[in-house]
Amino acid sequence: MKFKNLEKIKNLESTPKKVSIFSEKEIKMILELYKNLPETRFNKKQNVRKKAWLQNYNKELDKIYFSKLKDVLGDFKMDSLKSETNEDYFGLFHESFSPLPLHVDTGFDENTIIYKQVITPLITPGDTIVFKKRWYGRSTTFTVDEEELKFKPKPGQNDRSSAHIGKEEFDKDMYSKYLNHLDINNLRGLKVEMVYNWKVGESLIVDRTHIHCASSRIKNMKLGLTTFTKK
Ligand SMILES: [Fe+2]
């Protein structure tokens, strides 16, 4: 896949940014919403429980969330899939019991002008590791496992690729501190752009083209909300 508006996508890119846009009360409201939402999917392989933010469960919170994102992102559209009634999901809650592997969330539509993703930690500790390297193909999970590379994705599933690999050995300190759940050969040539230590009350805004993953630092489980946006 090749994005039709690649230049526009690149022009919208910026460095990752931490913001504090939600009050303690709003975070509580988001957690309450999470409890009330129906479960969407339990991905056994990734050991993650996902729930989609359906609109109209808490209309007041829908409004607050959208307008606060607009304050920091400017004009944007939601791009986190749609419900059965064709309403945009406002995000995906992901409750992880083990760290997510190396991937990119560029989506599956070449016509989309992908923009930022907003990650809001709800239960810590945890980290998101953002790499400098960017990816301009479909959503992909990166691996050096020969078997895994044979995986043929169904619509809506990530590609598998090892094309991110470079020559240089990955930083050993960084590896042992945050990334020892991964094969170090899967990190060859990569450099870290940002280690984002999750803090409740903050959100991380990062381009959808950045390769990223979770750190190995999970205590039982962590819970976050991610909203994918487009222009
Ligand atoms: Fe992601």
Side-chain angles (χ1 to χ4, degrees), residues 142-146 149 161-162 164-165 183 185-188:
F142 300 99
T143 179
V144 286
D145 182 325
E146 291 298 329
L149 282 167
S161 176
S162 60
H164 65 299
I165 292 290
D183 180 340
N185 295 316
N186 197 17
L187 295 166
R188 235 184 307 135

Side-chain angles (χ1 to χ4, degrees), residues 163-220:
H164 65 299
I165 292 290
K167 284 202 174 78
E168 235 176 284
E169 247 179 70
F170 187 71
D171 183 318
K172 285 211 173 70
D173 292 337
M174 190 64 85
Y175 180 76
S176 55
K177 201 164 171 200
Y178 294 107
L179 295 164
N180 56 27
H181 57 294
L182 300 174
D183 180 340
I184 195 163
N185 295 316
N186 197 17
L187 295 166
R188 235 184 307 135
L190 294 186
K191 296 243 177 330
V192 172
E193 167 84 30
M194 185 191 208
V195 173
Y196 173 56
N197 299 131
W198 280 26
K199 197 172 155 211
V200 176
E202 286 183 354
S203 302
L204 176 69
I205 297 173
V206 57
D207 293 327
R208 289 179 59 187
T209 51
H210 267 296
I211 294 177
H212 60 281
C213 66
S215 75
S216 44
R217 220 165 56 94
I218 291 183
K219 237 189 213 162
N220 307 323

Side-chain angles (χ1 to χ4, degrees), residues 6-196:
L6 190 55
E7 281 318 300
K8 276 190 196 153
I9 291 170
K10 287 186 176 177
N11 285 335
L12 290 164
E13 286 175 347
S14 55
T15 46
K17 192 165 96 181
K18 279 189 269 186
V19 292
S20 301
I21 46 177
F22 302 112
S23 67
E24 215 172 294
K25 188 181 154 218
E26 287 156 357
I27 294 286
K28 275 198 187 128
M29 287 166 80
I30 294 173
L31 277 166
E32 193 59 34
L33 170 69
Y34 175 69
K35 261 195 259 164
N36 295 332
L37 286 166
E39 190 160 306
T40 315
R41 182 150 59 113
F42 189 83
N43 185 327
K44 264 212 175 126
K45 203 175 155 218
Q46 290 184 345
N47 212 2
V48 55
R49 174 178 291 143
K50 284 188 188 173
K51 286 187 180 187
W53 179 326
L54 298 166
Q55 291 183 59
N56 304 317
Y57 267 70
N58 182 343
K59 284 187 185 167
E60 186 201 352
L61 184 60
D62 291 350
K63 258 192 221 148
I64 294 170
Y65 189 71
F66 194 90
S67 85
K68 292 222 167 172
L69 290 195
K70 197 169 174 192
D71 287 346
V72 287
L73 298 178
D75 282 327
F76 75 95
K77 294 186 193 100
M78 294 289 179
D79 194 26
S80 310
L81 309 174
K82 283 180 196 291
S83 70
E84 283 157 14
T85 52
N86 211 32
E87 276 185 316
D88 282 314
Y89 291 147
F90 271 24
L92 293 171
F93 291 92
H94 38 99
E95 190 176 346
S96 333
F97 304 90
S98 50
L100 271 184
L102 196 63
H103 70 280
V104 69
D105 301 300
T106 39
F108 304 97
D109 181 5
E110 61 187 11
N111 296 307
T112 303
I113 301 171
I114 55 168
Y115 187 38
K116 311 288 173 189
Q117 66 188 79
V118 183
I119 300 165
T120 301
L122 297 167
I123 296 176
T124 60
D127 318 273
T128 299
I129 316 293
V130 180
F131 298 89
K132 287 190 191 299
K133 190 154 192 138
R134 295 170 184 269
W135 185 259
Y136 297 101
R138 295 166 91 246
S139 279
T140 297
T141 300
F142 300 99
T143 179
V144 286
D145 182 325
E146 291 298 329
E147 282 309 304
E148 170 119 38
L149 282 167
K150 290 179 191 158
F151 179 81
K152 294 270 174 291
K154 295 194 189 87
Q157 285 184 327
N158 281 17
D159 280 356
R160 300 293 185 274
S161 176
S162 60
H164 65 299
I165 292 290
K167 284 202 174 78
E168 235 176 284
E169 247 179 70
F170 187 71
D171 183 318
K172 285 211 173 70
D173 292 337
M174 190 64 85
Y175 180 76
S176 55
K177 201 164 171 200
Y178 294 107
L179 295 164
N180 56 27
H181 57 294
L182 300 174
D183 180 340
I184 195 163
N185 295 316
N186 197 17
L187 295 166
R188 235 184 307 135
L190 294 186
K191 296 243 177 330
V192 172
E193 167 84 30
M194 185 191 208
V195 173
Y196 173 56

